[in-house]
Amino acid sequence: MRNHSVRVLLPVVVVLIWLVGAAVGGPTFGRLEEVSSNDQASFLPASAESTEAGELQQQFSDSDAVPAVIIAESDSPIDLRDLGPYEALGSALSGVEGLDAPAGGPPSVAGPIPSEDGFAVQYVAFVSADAEPTEVVDGLRAVLADELPSEVRGYVTGPAGFTADLAGAFSGIDGILLGVALGAVFIILLAVYRSIVLPFLVLLTSVAALATSILLVFAIAKLDWIQLSGQSQGILSILVIGAATDYALLLVARFREALAEKETPWEAMRVAYRSSVEPILASGATVILGLLCLLFSDLNSNRSLGPIAAIGILFSLGAALTLLPALLLLLGRSAFWPLRPRYDVAKNAARHEGMHAAPSEAGPETGLEQLRGVWKRVALLVARRPRVLWIASLLLLVTGALGLTQLQASGVPQSALILAPSNAVDGQEALARHFDAGSGSPVQVVAPQADQDAVLEVVTSQPGISDAEVTSDPSGVAVVMNGRILVSGTLADQADSDQAEDVVRALRTELDDVSPDALVGGVTATAIDTNDTALADLVKIIPLVLLVILVVLIILLRSILAPVLLVASVALSNATALGISALVFNGILGFEGADASVPLFAFVFLVALGVDYNIFLMTRVREESLRIGTRPGILRGLGITGGVITSAGVVLAATFAALGVIPILFLAQIAFIVAFGVLLDTVLVRSLLIPALAYDIGPRIWWPSTLGAVPSQR
């Protein structure tokens, strides 16, 4: 009786603990914006030239205000002799709350500044560092909508305008993203298990893991230990839901299998837990260690994502290995209603006898006894034509990987980051039509006072810079701070364009000759340093991730050859996914390029998560090989795990695809690459390439372990 009470009370306590944690953590999700930043400059390391220039530049200003460029574009020429209505508009814009007030006076908006062609006027305002940029920009746009006649269009662009529109694009992360992801997972689980109850249990596990992980993420972001951004927030949500669901599916599959062999749910859970805890922990450890390799990144955004995502995976593991077992124990066979697994003594005896057929009598179907359906047919195909299958799969992957040469991952203009309609993007285009496109985002050069004339000459004569001046006081005398002066140059092209980047790179090269201590900063310089740092991270982190995953697999499989082949297969699969994605981005979707961090993020997610499925497969294969021999064990492992691993892959692909609902280029590209790559791993690599290659190699796949040296295992 006491034992029965413990068996009921323990799961109840575990469930209650998780529910309390989720209840506290759920509301915290809406507060992440308090500790989140999407400022690209803050992502750079302190050693970047643009970062150093930005810090010195602040000495020349008493404010950290963010500039907003306001454009009024008319269909007909503007009467430059009578700008009265536009001067009144400037006064109305100055009344928007949250604008910076220079020298302690009232807020002011510079302008109107008419264009040379007479079809537009420009204003420049500064959003106070203490104000919320989105609210201020919305206020400016509201004034334009109220004050401008119908034939004149108003835009708020520049750094403040883009910040506001990016924040608006990320606003769907809290609700829309989670709703789409959870809905997709629910439909897939319903179709796979044909159970009404089980999908709710799995989703409850995923949501509890996410809600509780948010508590820790919020706390460490509040302490400034990590830097949270909108993109890392979205990736955290998707990663936790997908990973927790994957781990849950493996445990559920083992539990359902054990329910057919054991009479009570407790006995079945004991068997299921013992056989699934090792691959689940190994899979989670692989992902966590792979993500923590991002700590070696020089970009703050990349470095912060590592521990943020690792925390999510850690809570996914905890929920899958504690909350879900507790829920399954409380419901027992009813969790699978209406298709409850039944305990049958006679079938168990027949199954046990078939599983232990003598290896010496093994035929093509040895190991597949009691199995049926599509995965039995796939296993038979592997047994009959292993070499043809793995060579064909390998050639297919290599062919797809050739598309890597078309991947344009050297950064994109800021105007291309937002995929939804954007007033800031439209305003940037209007600015380029009528003014110097770089207005509002100048090149900033901080240089020693002694080099002032030489630096000004270089900046002024640089092709692509239309105007340059030294920051001066009201009397026209150059402002000197700690022996340095500040030179501002107006770019002829948009600050985020390739042409502007070429100008800044050339400017840095020429300034090195005349003023080695000069530093070039500004929006364009920040973009250059971000892309260059991201490319350097790619070269540094990829080998580290592969090495970490290889070590985990060696420990798990007690082998060297098998882990090497598994790591090589997922690395090739990643290259194929990126290659195919490049062709889709360029030829079908027409993207202007990709962020320099896209290949790194895609690699970390695909390799770490792709290895999960090989871990699920090969741990079961090793388990079966110890009983019935390597080749029969490969077939049986494939036949048994085929359904659950495919379901897990489809679920993970669907959850990452949900990132596509957020209209940000980076997230849309990550969504496609990871979703496609996961399906590629699931359908081709894990189902055909790895089983066929392992079957062709035979027991030597376990080299140098003793399992590969047993003659009877062949």
mmCIF file of all heavy atoms in Angstrom, residues 581-601:
data_model
loop_
_atom_site.group_PDB
_atom_site.id
_atom_site.type_symbol
_atom_site.label_atom_id
_atom_site.label_comp_id
_atom_site.label_asym_id
_atom_site.label_seq_id
_atom_site.Cartn_x
_atom_site.Cartn_y
_atom_site.Cartn_z
ATOM 1 N N SER A 581 20.130 25.699 -50.245
ATOM 2 C CA SER A 581 19.507 26.938 -49.767
ATOM 3 C C SER A 581 20.016 28.148 -50.539
ATOM 4 O O SER A 581 19.243 29.065 -50.845
ATOM 5 C CB SER A 581 19.789 27.118 -48.272
ATOM 6 O OG SER A 581 19.227 26.075 -47.510
ATOM 7 N N ALA A 582 21.307 28.158 -50.862
ATOM 8 C CA ALA A 582 21.868 29.271 -51.627
ATOM 9 C C ALA A 582 21.180 29.397 -52.980
ATOM 10 O O ALA A 582 20.848 30.511 -53.431
ATOM 11 C CB ALA A 582 23.373 29.073 -51.815
ATOM 12 N N LEU A 583 20.941 28.270 -53.629
ATOM 13 C CA LEU A 583 20.262 28.292 -54.928
ATOM 14 C C LEU A 583 18.829 28.783 -54.784
ATOM 15 O O LEU A 583 18.326 29.532 -55.632
ATOM 16 C CB LEU A 583 20.286 26.889 -55.540
ATOM 17 C CG LEU A 583 21.682 26.305 -55.819
ATOM 18 C CD1 LEU A 583 21.573 24.891 -56.367
ATOM 19 C CD2 LEU A 583 22.448 27.191 -56.788
ATOM 20 N N VAL A 584 18.157 28.382 -53.701
ATOM 21 C CA VAL A 584 16.781 28.829 -53.461
ATOM 22 C C VAL A 584 16.741 30.323 -53.156
ATOM 23 O O VAL A 584 15.913 31.065 -53.690
ATOM 24 C CB VAL A 584 16.145 28.026 -52.306
ATOM 25 C CG1 VAL A 584 14.786 28.610 -51.915
ATOM 26 C CG2 VAL A 584 15.995 26.563 -52.692
ATOM 27 N N PHE A 585 17.658 30.787 -52.305
ATOM 28 C CA PHE A 585 17.680 32.204 -51.930
ATOM 29 C C PHE A 585 17.944 33.093 -53.146
ATOM 30 O O PHE A 585 17.308 34.137 -53.314
ATOM 31 C CB PHE A 585 18.763 32.462 -50.877
ATOM 32 C CG PHE A 585 18.511 31.782 -49.556
ATOM 33 C CD1 PHE A 585 19.556 31.569 -48.665
ATOM 34 C CD2 PHE A 585 17.239 31.348 -49.199
ATOM 35 C CE1 PHE A 585 19.333 30.950 -47.446
ATOM 36 C CE2 PHE A 585 17.011 30.718 -47.984
ATOM 37 C CZ PHE A 585 18.060 30.517 -47.106
ATOM 38 N N ASN A 586 18.891 32.673 -53.982
ATOM 39 C CA ASN A 586 19.287 33.507 -55.111
ATOM 40 C C ASN A 586 18.309 33.411 -56.276
ATOM 41 O O ASN A 586 17.915 34.429 -56.847
ATOM 42 C CB ASN A 586 20.686 33.116 -55.604
ATOM 43 C CG ASN A 586 21.745 33.295 -54.529
ATOM 44 O OD1 ASN A 586 21.550 34.011 -53.560
ATOM 45 N ND2 ASN A 586 22.874 32.632 -54.697
ATOM 46 N N GLY A 587 17.936 32.167 -56.614
ATOM 47 C CA GLY A 587 17.162 31.970 -57.829
ATOM 48 C C GLY A 587 15.662 32.023 -57.667
ATOM 49 O O GLY A 587 14.947 32.372 -58.615
ATOM 50 N N ILE A 588 15.142 31.675 -56.506
ATOM 51 C CA ILE A 588 13.688 31.604 -56.322
ATOM 52 C C ILE A 588 13.169 32.760 -55.465
ATOM 53 O O ILE A 588 12.227 33.463 -55.856
ATOM 54 C CB ILE A 588 13.292 30.255 -55.685
ATOM 55 C CG1 ILE A 588 13.698 29.097 -56.611
ATOM 56 C CG2 ILE A 588 11.788 30.208 -55.396
ATOM 57 C CD1 ILE A 588 13.400 27.718 -56.045
ATOM 58 N N LEU A 589 13.790 32.974 -54.306
ATOM 59 C CA LEU A 589 13.306 33.992 -53.382
ATOM 60 C C LEU A 589 13.887 35.375 -53.666
ATOM 61 O O LEU A 589 13.349 36.378 -53.200
ATOM 62 C CB LEU A 589 13.617 33.579 -51.938
ATOM 63 C CG LEU A 589 12.984 32.249 -51.496
ATOM 64 C CD1 LEU A 589 13.367 31.922 -50.056
ATOM 65 C CD2 LEU A 589 11.466 32.310 -51.624
ATOM 66 N N GLY A 590 14.977 35.433 -54.402
ATOM 67 C CA GLY A 590 15.542 36.718 -54.796
ATOM 68 C C GLY A 590 16.118 37.533 -53.653
ATOM 69 O O GLY A 590 16.108 38.768 -53.708
ATOM 70 N N PHE A 591 16.650 36.892 -52.636
ATOM 71 C CA PHE A 591 17.275 37.614 -51.533
ATOM 72 C C PHE A 591 18.570 38.270 -52.019
ATOM 73 O O PHE A 591 19.265 37.737 -52.884
ATOM 74 C CB PHE A 591 17.601 36.677 -50.368
ATOM 75 C CG PHE A 591 16.383 36.152 -49.653
ATOM 76 C CD1 PHE A 591 16.423 34.936 -48.988
ATOM 77 C CD2 PHE A 591 15.189 36.866 -49.647
ATOM 78 C CE1 PHE A 591 15.313 34.442 -48.316
ATOM 79 C CE2 PHE A 591 14.070 36.387 -48.991
ATOM 80 C CZ PHE A 591 14.133 35.178 -48.318
ATOM 81 N N GLU A 592 18.912 39.412 -51.427
ATOM 82 C CA GLU A 592 20.108 40.141 -51.833
ATOM 83 C C GLU A 592 21.395 39.505 -51.316
ATOM 84 O O GLU A 592 22.492 39.886 -51.708
ATOM 85 C CB GLU A 592 20.028 41.593 -51.347
ATOM 86 C CG GLU A 592 18.915 42.386 -52.005
ATOM 87 C CD GLU A 592 18.955 43.849 -51.608
ATOM 88 O OE1 GLU A 592 20.069 44.403 -51.476
ATOM 89 O OE2 GLU A 592 17.881 44.445 -51.433
ATOM 90 N N GLY A 593 21.272 38.564 -50.421
ATOM 91 C CA GLY A 593 22.428 37.901 -49.824
ATOM 92 C C GLY A 593 22.027 37.325 -48.489
ATOM 93 O O GLY A 593 20.848 37.051 -48.242
ATOM 94 N N ALA A 594 23.003 37.136 -47.620
ATOM 95 C CA ALA A 594 22.731 36.582 -46.296
ATOM 96 C C ALA A 594 23.658 37.229 -45.287
ATOM 97 O O ALA A 594 24.764 37.657 -45.620
ATOM 98 C CB ALA A 594 22.924 35.060 -46.293
ATOM 99 N N ASP A 595 23.187 37.305 -44.063
ATOM 100 C CA ASP A 595 24.018 37.785 -42.971
ATOM 101 C C ASP A 595 25.229 36.866 -42.822
ATOM 102 O O ASP A 595 25.132 35.653 -43.021
ATOM 103 C CB ASP A 595 23.201 37.805 -41.681
ATOM 104 C CG ASP A 595 23.943 38.481 -40.546
ATOM 105 O OD1 ASP A 595 24.758 37.789 -39.901
ATOM 106 O OD2 ASP A 595 23.714 39.669 -40.306
ATOM 107 N N ALA A 596 26.359 37.447 -42.451
ATOM 108 C CA ALA A 596 27.582 36.653 -42.344
ATOM 109 C C ALA A 596 27.499 35.602 -41.243
ATOM 110 O O ALA A 596 28.263 34.638 -41.241
ATOM 111 C CB ALA A 596 28.770 37.581 -42.087
ATOM 112 N N SER A 597 26.555 35.763 -40.300
ATOM 113 C CA SER A 597 26.404 34.783 -39.220
ATOM 114 C C SER A 597 25.513 33.606 -39.608
ATOM 115 O O SER A 597 25.457 32.622 -38.867
ATOM 116 C CB SER A 597 25.822 35.462 -37.972
ATOM 117 O OG SER A 597 26.720 36.400 -37.431
ATOM 118 N N VAL A 598 24.833 33.692 -40.729
ATOM 119 C CA VAL A 598 23.905 32.629 -41.121
ATOM 120 C C VAL A 598 24.605 31.276 -41.269
ATOM 121 O O VAL A 598 24.128 30.269 -40.738
ATOM 122 C CB VAL A 598 23.148 33.018 -42.412
ATOM 123 C CG1 VAL A 598 22.484 31.795 -43.044
ATOM 124 C CG2 VAL A 598 22.096 34.074 -42.105
ATOM 125 N N PRO A 599 25.748 31.180 -41.995
ATOM 126 C CA PRO A 599 26.395 29.866 -42.113
ATOM 127 C C PRO A 599 26.814 29.285 -40.763
ATOM 128 O O PRO A 599 26.710 28.080 -40.545
ATOM 129 C CB PRO A 599 27.617 30.148 -42.995
ATOM 130 C CG PRO A 599 27.279 31.390 -43.739
ATOM 131 C CD PRO A 599 26.439 32.204 -42.804
ATOM 132 N N LEU A 600 27.277 30.134 -39.851
ATOM 133 C CA LEU A 600 27.715 29.643 -38.539
ATOM 134 C C LEU A 600 26.534 29.112 -37.735
ATOM 135 O O LEU A 600 26.591 28.008 -37.188
ATOM 136 C CB LEU A 600 28.414 30.757 -37.764
ATOM 137 C CG LEU A 600 28.861 30.392 -36.342
ATOM 138 C CD1 LEU A 600 29.862 29.246 -36.377
ATOM 139 C CD2 LEU A 600 29.457 31.603 -35.643
ATOM 140 N N PHE A 601 25.461 29.879 -37.661
ATOM 141 C CA PHE A 601 24.293 29.436 -36.908
ATOM 142 C C PHE A 601 23.707 28.167 -37.518
ATOM 143 O O PHE A 601 23.340 27.231 -36.810
ATOM 144 C CB PHE A 601 23.229 30.542 -36.886
ATOM 145 C CG PHE A 601 23.494 31.613 -35.863
ATOM 146 C CD1 PHE A 601 24.781 31.911 -35.456
ATOM 147 C CD2 PHE A 601 22.455 32.338 -35.316
ATOM 148 C CE1 PHE A 601 25.033 32.897 -34.521
ATOM 149 C CE2 PHE A 601 22.689 33.323 -34.374
ATOM 150 C CZ PHE A 601 23.984 33.613 -33.984
#
